[in-house]
């Protein structure tokens, strides 16, 4: 089982689109069993697959020890692909309930995702280095980094790589690669961006 975090510092770098399309391609064209986890309280992945985030449980009650994973997994319209939706409770989940008192709350997701019947678990993370992103990276074997060919996006990669390397030393997460979206073939700074990456 491969667990991949789709991450970046910024919004609008195609994290959600990449999670959705990569997951669908693995399920449809490679017959893999895929679980998507919407780990961003904005819930775009959840909405994109036709679910109402206000009517579904997220992984928050599982992290709090109040529900089982099976109770929050939904079947999607893509055969072989399931999703755990997001809701607004995900925001600041770490400061409430059982997690608030747990010094090792960052490692709860990793424990929960151990030995599940999926080939791939893709986690769509929020656009910041918050508790959710850190938990996701700790739980993952790999991180797929999303960026756009813009100065601040590429600048953010340096901080993200320091953050991931730090987690990698303790938990073994490896950077799978950088996915550049919104590429402009005529961009003046293209060479400079590719050099940094
Ligand atoms: N390769 C692409 N080309 C054009 N538009 C894209 C592409 N990838 C994503 N988008 C659009 O850009 C917006 C931001 O993408 P999204 O996946 O939500 O980014 P993020 O999750 O990083 O905030 C969405 O409206 C999405 O439909
Ligand atoms: Mg998103």
């Amino acid at each position: 089982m491969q667990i991949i975090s789709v991450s970046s510092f910024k919004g609008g770098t195609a994290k959600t689109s990449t999670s959705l399309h990569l997951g669908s391609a693995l399920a449809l064209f490679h017959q893999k069993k895929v679980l998507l986890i919407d780990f961003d309280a904005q819930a775009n992945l959840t909405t994109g697959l036709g679910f109402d985030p206000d009517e579904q449980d997220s992984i928050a009650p599982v992290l709090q020890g109040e529900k089982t994973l099976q109770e929050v997994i939904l079947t999607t319209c893509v055969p072989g692909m399931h999703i755990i939706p997001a809701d607004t409770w995900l925001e600041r989940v770490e400061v409430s309930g059982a997690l608030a008192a747990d010094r090792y709350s960052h490692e709860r997701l990793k424990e929960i995702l151990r030995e599940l019947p999926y080939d791939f678990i893709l986690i769509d993370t929020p656009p910041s280095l918050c508790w959710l992103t850190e938990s996701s990276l700790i739980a993952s074997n790999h991180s797929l980094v999303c960026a756009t060919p813009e100065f601040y996006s590429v600048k953010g990669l340096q901080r993200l790589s320091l953050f991931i390397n730090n987690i990698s030393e303790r938990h073994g997460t490896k950077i799978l690669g950088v996915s550049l979206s919104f590429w402009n073939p005529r961009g003046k700074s293209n060479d400079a961006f590719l050099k940094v990456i």
Side-chain angles (χ1 to χ4, degrees):
M1 185 175 75
Q2 299 293 333
I3 306 181
I4 304 173
S5 284
V6 183
S7 54
S8 75
F9 253 158
K10 257 181 113 267
T13 56
K15 291 179 294 301
T16 301
S17 308
T18 302
S19 308
L20 179 59
H21 294 142
L22 184 60
S24 305
L26 286 166
L28 281 178
F29 304 130
H30 299 275
Q31 288 72 50
K32 300 295 182 191
K33 286 214 71 188
V34 177
L35 175 66
L36 300 178
I37 301 178
D38 191 348
F39 219 36
D40 182 354
Q42 288 184 42
N44 294 340
L45 186 59
T46 303
T47 313
L49 277 162
F51 298 104
D52 182 347
D54 294 328
E55 291 189 359
Q56 318 289 340
D57 273 320
S58 69
I59 201 166
V62 185
L63 289 165
Q64 298 288 11
E66 293 161 3
K67 288 206 167 186
T68 65
L69 215 44
Q70 298 317 318
E71 287 177 283
V72 298
I73 292 177
L74 304 176
T75 305
T76 73
C77 54
V78 178
M81 187 167 85
H82 295 164
I83 184 172
I84 301 178
D87 61 14
T88 41
W89 295 110
L90 270 180
E91 193 103 53
R92 297 170 57 78
V93 64
E94 76 277 17
V95 294
S96 52
L99 289 181
D102 183 355
R103 269 185 66 199
Y104 298 100
S105 63
H106 288 98
E107 296 178 21
R108 190 69 71 91
L109 182 68
K110 185 177 187 162
E111 288 158 23
I112 287 171
L113 299 183
R114 203 167 277 166
E115 289 171 36
L116 290 177
Y118 293 95
D119 299 308
F120 289 91
I121 298 179
L122 304 181
I123 310 174
D124 182 24
T125 66
S128 63
L129 297 187
C130 56
W131 183 92
L132 293 167
T133 303
E134 193 173 350
S135 295
S136 172
L137 288 167
I138 288 173
S140 300
N141 322 100
H142 292 103
S143 173
L144 179 59
V145 176
C146 291
T148 53
E150 295 166 290
F151 179 76
Y152 289 124
S153 179
V154 173
K155 204 75 196 136
L157 286 181
Q158 292 162 348
R159 285 183 65 206
L160 183 60
S161 81
L162 281 178
F163 189 78
I164 295 177
N165 286 341
N166 197 288
I167 291 175
S168 169
E169 278 169 23
R170 285 171 291 138
H171 300 281
T173 317
K174 298 263 184 310
I175 296 180
L176 193 60
V178 177
S179 166
L180 267 182
S181 296
F182 303 96
W183 184 252
N184 169 11
R186 280 185 270 167
K188 281 189 191 137
S189 309
N190 284 353
D191 287 347
F193 293 143
L194 290 174
K195 222 174 267 168
V196 174
I197 288 165

